[in-house]
Amino acid sequence: MPTCLPLVLRRCHTCASQRFRANGKFRVNANHKLLDVWLLVLCTACGATTKLTVLERMNVRSVRPELLDRLHDNDPGLAAELLQDPVVQRRNRIALDWDNAWRLDTGGSDHLDREVIDVSVRFTARVPVRPVRLIAEGCGLSRAEAGRLIAEGKLVSAVRLNSKLSDDFTFTLKR
């Protein structure tokens, strides 16, 4: 589950840094019946503000009133949703850095002493992470040991465990 908003990877025009921090603030600008909306992000190095386009020249009547209220209230949940939206990412040519922005909730450690463990992993947000990293942290293994278990066939899953994934998956660990 996420613990904070991810960093935005984009070049700063002021200091050439590559990382921006989103604080959940929006700028909404109306020009007659047309609406522009930006998500404001701050450079982590120099503090310069950059606008990420969310809506551009939209008719005010075509924007849902609930969405407009959330934009005016600077809803951080909406900021998280919009940062993960592939359309917003592509339009603004950004990527997200999820390092140190999520945590693993295992629900306790009573499962670690069993011979065979069947686990279902659920993501509360689309955080791209390598399943082998989650398995290593959740089961108290090193990543090298988890890799060895995959090679030996003692750690199996229907998904590829060494590539990044942001969808729910299941795995079986045999000790």
Side-chain angles (χ1 to χ4, degrees), residues 28-91:
V28 180
N29 186 30
N31 185 2
H32 299 286
K33 294 181 182 179
L34 300 178
L35 196 68
D36 291 313
V37 177
W38 299 280
L39 175 62
L40 302 177
V41 293
L42 303 171
C43 177
T44 57
C46 69
T49 302
T50 297
K51 300 183 290 188
L52 302 179
T53 303
V54 175
L55 297 175
E56 193 169 37
R57 298 290 176 207
M58 292 286 295
N59 191 312
V60 175
R61 292 181 187 253
S62 66
V63 179
R64 295 186 330 268
E66 308 86 40
L67 176 62
L68 203 52
D69 289 341
R70 290 178 75 187
L71 290 167
H72 285 299
D73 294 338
N74 291 320
D75 184 4
L78 179 61
E81 291 172 27
L82 291 172
L83 279 175
Q84 294 177 49
D85 186 359
V87 174
V88 172
Q89 289 180 11
R90 200 172 25 253
R91 177 185 295 151

Side-chain angles (χ1 to χ4, degrees), residues 106-117:
T106 61
S109 61
D110 59 341
H111 62 280
L112 296 177
D113 57 350
R114 296 186 187 151
E115 189 71 26
V116 177
I117 304 170

Side-chain angles (χ1 to χ4, degrees), residues 7 11 14 20 48 79 109-110 116 126 129 151 159 163 167:
L7 292 177
R11 186 176 176 279
T14 305
F20 285 84
S109 61
D110 59 341
V116 177
R126 296 187 53 83
V129 67
V159 299
S163 60
D167 295 322

Side-chain angles (χ1 to χ4, degrees), residues 87-98:
V87 174
V88 172
Q89 289 180 11
R90 200 172 25 253
R91 177 185 295 151
N92 293 287
R93 292 185 216 106
I94 62 169
L96 301 179
D97 180 10
W98 282 96

